Amino acid sequence: MQQHWLTNLPIHGVMKTEPLLRGVANDVYKITSTSGVYVLKHFRFDHPYGLDRDQEVAVQQILFNHGLAPEVLHYDAVQGLMLQAFIETPDLSHDSKSMGTKIQRLGEISAHIHRLPVDVPVWSLRSRVQRYCDNLAQYEPERARQFQKRLQQQRKLLDSFGNNPVFCHNDLAFHHVFLSQPPQVIDWEYSGLGERYFDLANCIQVNQLERSEQRAFINAYEGASGERVDSQHLQNWLELSQTISQLWYELHHHLQHHHL
C-alpha cells in the first residue's frame, strides 16, 4: 500500500495495514485503526474491462440504503480508492455451514438482488465482450479472432441481452456474500441492469457448481423469486458465460503480466 493514500482517508490512528487480496479488478487492503477496522479498495484495469467506478460507488450507496452492501465511507476517483467498513462475519466460502445451506442462501440472495429497484443503465453485453476481444488482440490477435468467431455463433443470445432487464450482480461468488444480519454483498463493479439468466449462469460458473449443486441453486432461486427457470435456456447462457469467462481470464493473464 502507498502510504500517501492514507492521508485523505476519514480515519485516524492507523495501527496496521495489510494486503487482503491482489485481485483482478482491485487490490484490497485491511486497515486497523483506533476508530475501527476498514477495507480499502484500489481499483485496477478499469478501461480494458469497461468498468464505470463512479456508477459502482453510486450503486453501492443505493444498496447500503437497502441494507445489502457496506456503506462507502470515502471515494477518491483520481487515485481510484474506495473505503468501507470491514465485515467481521465470514463470507460464504469460509462459513462453516453445509454446502447445501450455502447454495440455498446464494439462491435466495440472487432472487433478492433481481427484485431491487436500482435505476442504472442496461448493460450492453455485446459491447463488453467486444472490448475484451479488442484488448486481447493487442497481445494475441489470433486468440482474439478465435473468440470473436465463437461469440458470433452465440449472437442471438448476445442480442437478446437486456430484453427483460433486472438488476444483477454478475459476479456473485461465495466470497462476495457475507452472512451478517442482514446479509452483505460486496464487489459490485460488474453490476447493472441486465439478463437474469446471464447472472444465474455467471453465479454457477464462478462458484464451479456441479450438476446437483446447480439444481439446488436454481430450486432455491425459484422458491425465493417465484420465477420458473427454463433449464435449456439456462444451459445456453451457461455456454456463453463459459466462453466469456475464458476470454476474460486470458485478457487478465496478459494485463497482469504487462503490469507487474
Side-chain angles (χ1 to χ4, degrees), residues 91-93 98-114 169 171-179 183-185 199-209 213-214 216-222 224:
D91 60 56
L92 271 181
S93 65
S98 69
M99 178 60 80
T101 300
K102 293 179 182 182
I103 289 172
Q104 178 72 28
R105 297 296 285 140
L106 199 65
E108 293 168 352
I109 290 170
S110 292
H112 178 55
I113 291 170
H114 289 174
H169 185 283
D171 189 26
L172 196 64
F174 281 134
H175 61 270
H176 290 156
V177 180
F178 293 78
L179 293 182
Q184 300 279 287
V185 179
D199 197 17
L200 295 174
N202 281 342
C203 190
I204 290 169
Q205 168 76 14
V206 74
N207 292 301
Q208 294 294 290
L209 300 184
E213 294 170 336
Q214 292 179 28
F217 169 65
I218 294 303
N219 287 342
Y221 176 82
E222 288 181 329

Side-chain angles (χ1 to χ4, degrees), residues 80-95:
L81 300 174
M82 184 176 79
L83 183 75
Q84 61 193 40
F86 180 78
I87 302 172
E88 297 288 350
T89 55
D91 60 56
L92 271 181
S93 65
H94 295 96
D95 194 86

Side-chain angles (χ1 to χ4, degrees), residues 211-249:
R211 186 72 66 175
S212 61
E213 294 170 336
Q214 292 179 28
R215 286 195 296 269
F217 169 65
I218 294 303
N219 287 342
Y221 176 82
E222 288 181 329
S225 68
E227 298 281 342
R228 180 184 172 278
V229 175
D230 183 292
S231 57
Q232 184 55 58
H233 196 46
L234 178 61
Q235 184 58 42
N236 294 338
W237 278 102
L238 266 171
E239 292 171 8
L240 177 56
S241 173
Q242 288 163 0
T243 300
I244 294 173
S245 177
Q246 185 181 353
L247 166 61
W248 187 88
Y249 275 109

Side-chain angles (χ1 to χ4, degrees), residues 35-53:
S35 58
V37 184
Y38 306 90
V39 167
L40 183 69
K41 293 173 66 173
H42 177 230
F43 301 140
R44 308 174 69 222
F45 304 140
D46 296 357
H47 178 71
Y49 297 134
L51 302 180
D52 182 339
R53 296 303 191 167

Side-chain angles (χ1 to χ4, degrees), residues 123-142:
W123 253 43
S124 170
L125 185 59
R126 178 176 288 283
S127 297
R128 188 68 62 100
V129 296
Q130 185 62 54
R131 182 188 291 263
Y132 295 172
C133 287
D134 290 345
N135 281 281
L136 180 61
Q138 297 177 28
Y139 307 106
E140 285 195 81
E142 181 55 34

